[in-house]
Amino acid sequence: MKVKVSRKAHFNAAHRLYVPEWSFEKNDAIFGKCNNPNFHGHNYELIVSVTGEIDPVTGYVIDMKVLKDLIKSEIENAFDHKNLNVEVPEFKNVNPTAENISVVIWNKLRPHLADDKELEVVLYETPRNFVTYSG
Amino acid sequence: MKVKVSRKAHFNAAHRLYVPEWSFEKNDAIFGKCNNPNFHGHNYELIVSVTGEIDPVTGYVIDMKVLKDLIKSEIENAFDHKNLNVEVPEFKNVNPTAENISVVIWNKLRPHLADDKELEVVLYETPRNFVTYSG
Amino acid sequence: MKVKVSRKAHFNAAHRLYVPEWSFEKNDAIFGKCNNPNFHGHNYELIVSVTGEIDPVTGYVIDMKVLKDLIKSEIENAFDHKNLNVEVPEFKNVNPTAENISVVIWNKLRPHLADDKELEVVLYETPRNFVTYSG
Amino acid sequence: MKVKVSRKAHFNAAHRLYVPEWSFEKNDAIFGKCNNPNFHGHNYELIVSVTGEIDPVTGYVIDMKVLKDLIKSEIENAFDHKNLNVEVPEFKNVNPTAENISVVIWNKLRPHLADDKELEVVLYETPRNFVTYSG
Amino acid sequence: MKVKVSRKAHFNAAHRLYVPEWSFEKNDAIFGKCNNPNFHGHNYELIVSVTGEIDPVTGYVIDMKVLKDLIKSEIENAFDHKNLNVEVPEFKNVNPTAENISVVIWNKLRPHLADDKELEVVLYETPRNFVTYSG
Amino acid sequence: MKVKVSRKAHFNAAHRLYVPEWSFEKNDAIFGKCNNPNFHGHNYELIVSVTGEIDPVTGYVIDMKVLKDLIKSEIENAFDHKNLNVEVPEFKNVNPTAENISVVIWNKLRPHLADDKELEVVLYETPRNFVTYSG
C-alpha cells in the first residue's frame, strides 16, 4: 500500500538567466527579459512528494512535520530571500532555470530520505509555469 | 486512447491522530497537536480520477454526473460533518491519517467501477498537505 | 495616503453548532449536520487587514512580520488544532458560527493595534463560505 | 535528467454535448443540461506539459516562450471565443466532451514537438471537472 | 455587530456581446471576439454577500443553507447551462456583459432578503475579469 | 447603477527593502531578510478596479481590453522582469514596499481614467501578503 505524501512550501528569490560564455546579444535572443543583469525575481511554490509504504502502526508514510522541517532546513533556509546566482553555490556554474532549480532541490533532499522512499519535486516559478523532477 | 477523468469533491470532518496502545506522552511526541483528545478538524478536498478508454459514441470515459453521484453516496454521505474516529466504522481500528483515509476512500470506490478502469484518489487535508493513492 | 495591509493565516479546529437551551430536534432543524454532538471541523483561512497611513520613512503601514506574529500569538496559538466549543473560553456561552468566530478574533486583535489603525477580519470556514467583520 | 515542463493557458468556448444519430430524448437522458441546443460554455484551463532532457547549456527542456507561443498559435487561436461544435472542424463528427477535446489538443500539438519529447495535456472544463491525456 | 456573510456559487453559460442596432462591423470594433454570432461561454463564479446583525441566539446573520438554496433556485436554475442571450428573458433587450449580469442577479435576489440586510454580488466572468455590484 | 470592474494582471520583479540613511544593522533589524543587498524577488499579482456607471448602450463600465492594455502599457512594461530599486525611477528615493508600490501604480493609472471613475489597486506581494490602495 504505497501512498504519495505531498507538502507545499514557498520561497522568494531573485535570479538572472544567462550563459556567461555567450555575448549579451545572444543571451538576450534566448532568455529575453530573464537576462536582465539587474535581476528579477519570483515567489517559488514548491511541492515535495515522498512515496512509500504506510507504517502500519502510525498510519504515516512520513511525518508531515518531519518533511516540513526538512524542506525548511535544506531548501527554504538556503534559497529564501536570496539571489540564486550570487548567493547559492549550486548555481555558481549552473543557470538557475526552473528545470535546474528543481534538480538541485531534489539532489539536496534525496540523501535525507530512506532508500525505499521515492522523491518528486514540483516547482512553480509562476502560477503559469512549473516543472516536475523525479530523479 | 486512455484518458484520466478527474472530479473534485469536498467534505468536512473532525478527527484525532493517536495509537490507542501508546501512552498519551508517546502519542504527544509523535502526533503533537493532532493528538488533541477533544479532536480538531479539516475541510478535506478530494480528487477522484478514473482512467479508461473513451467510449467512441458518447465521448465519455465515465459520465461526470455518475462519478459525482458515486462520490456523494459512498464518501460524502459517510464522512461529511462526521467525527472520523467516533462515527466512521473503517477507522475503529485504523488511525485516520490522510494516508489511511485515502486508502479507505479508494477501497470504498473501487467495487463500483468497471474492472478495466483504473482509480486514483488525491486527498488534501489542508491546502499544504495532501496524499495520493492508486491501489 | 491610507493603505490596507492584509495577511493570510490558517488554523484547523473542531466545532459543533447548537443552542444549549434548545432540544436536539430544534437544533437539528436549524443547524442540521453542524449539530453533530461528536463535532466536525474545518481548515479556517483567516485574512487580517490593518488600514492606516504609510510611515514615510519605512514605507510600512505595519510590519508584516509584526502582524504575522500577532496573529500567531493571539489567534493561531489559541484556536489551532483545538475544539472551539470545549477548549476556547470565548465560546463557552457563544455558538462558534463563522460570524461569532470573526467577532471574537477581531476583539482579540483590536487592543494590540494603535488607535489610528482600522481592523478588518475575513474568515473562510470553507472555500465557499466566508464572513467579514470590521468592528 | 528528464524534467517535465508545464505551461498553463486558457480559452473560453461554447459547446453542446450530443450524438446527432440519437433522439433528443436519448441525448437528454445521457447528456442532461449539456445537451441544450442553444449551447452553454466554459472557461477552459489548459496545462500542456513537455518532458525531456535538460539542455546542458541553456538549462531548458523547452523554452517556455516557445511553448506559450505554440499553445497560442495552435490551440488558443483555434478555440478561444469559438463555438466548438459549429466552428472547429475537428468536432464536426466528434462530440466535444472534455475527453475528446484533450485528445484533439494533443494531436494538434504533437507534430510540433521533437520526437524525444513526451507530451501531456490536462484540460479543466470547470474547476471541479478535468481530464488528462498523454497519447 | 454587523457581519458580511458570503457564499460562492457557480454556473456555466453561453453568451454573445453585441448591440442589435449596430452593424456587425461596429460590434466587431467594440466587442471583438465576444461578438461571435455563434456564441462563446464561461464558467461564471458568483459570490453573494449579505450584511446584517448577528442573531444573538443562533449566531447567524443568515443561514448559509438558506442563502445557498436561494442562489440555486433564483440564479443557478435560471442561468446554468443556458444561452443567456436566447434563453434568459432579462437579457432579451440587455447586453449580457458581466456588469449587466451582476445587476440582474442583484435584482433577482434583493426581494428575497429582509429590508435590514444589505446585498452585494461579485461575478467572475474569467479568473482574471470580475465585477462587483451593491445596488 | 455603479459597478466595480476588476482586472487581474501579473509582473515579476526583484527588490530590496532598506532606508539608505540607516546603517546596515538598523536596516537588518527592521527589514530582516528583505534587506538582502543582493536583492530577492516576487511574482506580484495585481488587481486593478475601476468603478463607474454602466454605459446604457454597451453595458460596459470600461472595456476590459482597454483596461488590460492600460495595465500592460503603464505597469507591466515598466515593472515586469525589472529590479525595482535600480531600474524604476519612482523608487529612486522611495522604499519599494508593497504599500509604496501600490501607491505608485495608482498614481500611474489615475491620469488615464475619466474623472467620474474611481480607482482601486490591490497588490499581492506573496499569496499571503497583500495591500489595497484607493487614493
Side-chain angles (χ1 to χ4, degrees), chain B residues 96-134:
Chain B
T97 58
E99 289 93 324
N100 280 334
I101 301 172
S102 72
V103 173
V104 166
I105 290 172
W106 195 93
N107 287 338
K108 286 170 78 79
L109 293 174
R110 181 66 259 187
H112 299 275
L113 295 167
D115 285 353
D116 61 346
K117 298 280 191 297
E118 296 159 44
L119 174 63
E120 181 191 80
V121 166
V122 178
L123 183 71
Y124 282 76
E125 194 174 72
T126 73
R128 297 196 163 256
N129 294 349
F130 59 99
V131 299
T132 307
Y133 181 61
S134 313

Side-chain angles (χ1 to χ4, degrees), chain B residues 44-112:
Chain B
Y44 291 94
E45 295 281 341
L46 172 65
I47 300 172
V48 175
S49 298
V50 174
T51 303
E53 295 286 336
I54 301 179
D55 180 296
V57 179
T58 62
Y60 279 166
V61 168
I62 184 172
D63 185 335
M64 280 282 188
K65 290 188 303 296
V66 170
L67 183 55
K68 179 187 174 185
D69 291 346
L70 178 65
I71 299 169
K72 177 147 188 46
S73 68
E74 293 301 311
I75 308 302
E76 293 180 29
N77 288 355
F79 290 4
D80 189 35
H81 283 76
K82 294 285 168 63
N83 183 311
L84 298 180
N85 302 71
V86 175
E87 298 175 290
V88 179
E90 284 86 353
F91 301 110
K92 204 182 175 83
N93 300 305
V94 171
N95 200 14
T97 58
E99 289 93 324
N100 280 334
I101 301 172
S102 72
V103 173
V104 166
I105 290 172
W106 195 93
N107 287 338
K108 286 170 78 79
L109 293 174
R110 181 66 259 187
H112 299 275

Side-chain angles (χ1 to χ4, degrees), chain A residues 3-37:
Chain A
V3 170
K4 180 162 84 163
V5 172
S6 302
R7 172 75 194 170
K8 211 170 170 182
H10 181 91
F11 60 89
N12 311 322
H15 77 157
R16 175 194 176 185
L17 298 186
Y18 72 119
V19 177
E21 293 75 21
W22 289 357
S23 69
F24 185 83
E25 287 67 30
K26 183 163 181 187
N27 276 306
D28 199 50
I30 300 297
F31 297 109
K33 294 183 293 183
C34 300
N35 178 38
N36 183 345

Side-chain angles (χ1 to χ4, degrees), chain C:
Chain C
M1 291 203 313
K2 285 204 164 185
V3 169
K4 180 162 85 164
V5 172
S6 302
R7 172 75 193 168
K8 211 170 171 183
H10 181 92
F11 60 90
N12 311 322
H15 77 157
R16 175 195 176 186
L17 298 186
Y18 74 116
V19 177
E21 293 76 21
W22 289 357
S23 68
F24 184 84
E25 287 68 29
K26 184 162 182 188
N27 276 306
D28 199 50
I30 299 297
F31 296 108
K33 294 182 294 184
C34 300
N35 178 39
N36 183 345
N38 293 311
F39 307 105
H40 65 287
H42 296 291
N43 300 329
Y44 291 93
E45 295 282 340
L46 173 65
I47 301 172
V48 176
S49 299
V50 174
T51 303
E53 296 286 337
I54 301 179
D55 181 296
V57 178
T58 62
Y60 278 166
V61 167
I62 184 172
D63 185 335
M64 279 282 189
K65 290 189 303 295
V66 170
L67 183 56
K68 179 187 175 185
D69 291 347
L70 177 64
I71 299 170
K72 176 144 188 50
S73 67
E74 293 301 311
I75 309 301
E76 293 180 29
N77 288 355
F79 290 5
D80 189 35
H81 283 76
K82 293 288 168 63
N83 183 312
L84 298 180
N85 303 72
V86 174
E87 297 176 290
V88 179
E90 284 86 352
F91 300 110
K92 203 180 174 85
N93 299 304
V94 170
N95 200 14
T97 58
E99 290 93 325
N100 281 334
I101 301 172
S102 72
V103 172
V104 165
I105 291 172
W106 195 93
N107 288 337
K108 287 170 78 79
L109 294 175
R110 182 66 261 188
H112 300 274
L113 296 167
D115 285 353
D116 62 345
K117 297 280 192 296
E118 296 160 44
L119 173 63
E120 182 191 80
V121 166
V122 178
L123 182 71
Y124 282 76
E125 194 174 74
T126 74
R128 299 198 161 253
N129 293 349
F130 58 101
V131 299
T132 306
Y133 181 61
S134 313

Side-chain angles (χ1 to χ4, degrees), chain D residues 5-130:
Chain D
V5 172
S6 302
R7 172 75 195 171
K8 212 170 169 182
H10 180 90
F11 60 90
N12 312 321
H15 77 157
R16 175 195 176 185
L17 299 186
Y18 74 116
V19 177
E21 293 76 21
W22 289 358
S23 67
F24 185 84
E25 288 67 30
K26 184 163 181 189
N27 276 306
D28 199 50
I30 301 296
F31 296 109
K33 294 183 294 184
C34 299
N35 178 38
N36 182 345
N38 293 310
F39 308 105
H40 65 286
H42 297 290
N43 299 328
Y44 291 93
E45 296 280 343
L46 172 66
I47 300 172
V48 176
S49 299
V50 175
T51 303
E53 295 287 336
I54 301 179
D55 181 296
V57 178
T58 62
Y60 278 166
V61 168
I62 183 172
D63 185 335
M64 280 282 188
K65 291 189 302 296
V66 170
L67 183 55
K68 178 187 175 184
D69 291 346
L70 177 64
I71 299 170
K72 176 144 189 49
S73 68
E74 292 302 310
I75 310 302
E76 293 180 29
N77 287 355
F79 291 6
D80 189 35
H81 282 74
K82 293 287 169 62
N83 184 311
L84 298 180
N85 303 71
V86 174
E87 297 176 290
V88 179
E90 284 86 352
F91 300 110
K92 203 182 173 86
N93 300 305
V94 170
N95 200 14
T97 59
E99 289 92 325
N100 281 335
I101 301 173
S102 71
V103 173
V104 165
I105 290 172
W106 195 93
N107 288 338
K108 286 169 77 80
L109 294 175
R110 181 65 261 188
H112 299 273
L113 295 165
D115 284 354
D116 62 346
K117 298 280 192 294
E118 295 158 46
L119 173 64
E120 182 191 79
V121 167
V122 178
L123 182 71
Y124 282 75
E125 193 174 73
T126 74
R128 297 194 163 255
N129 293 349
F130 59 101

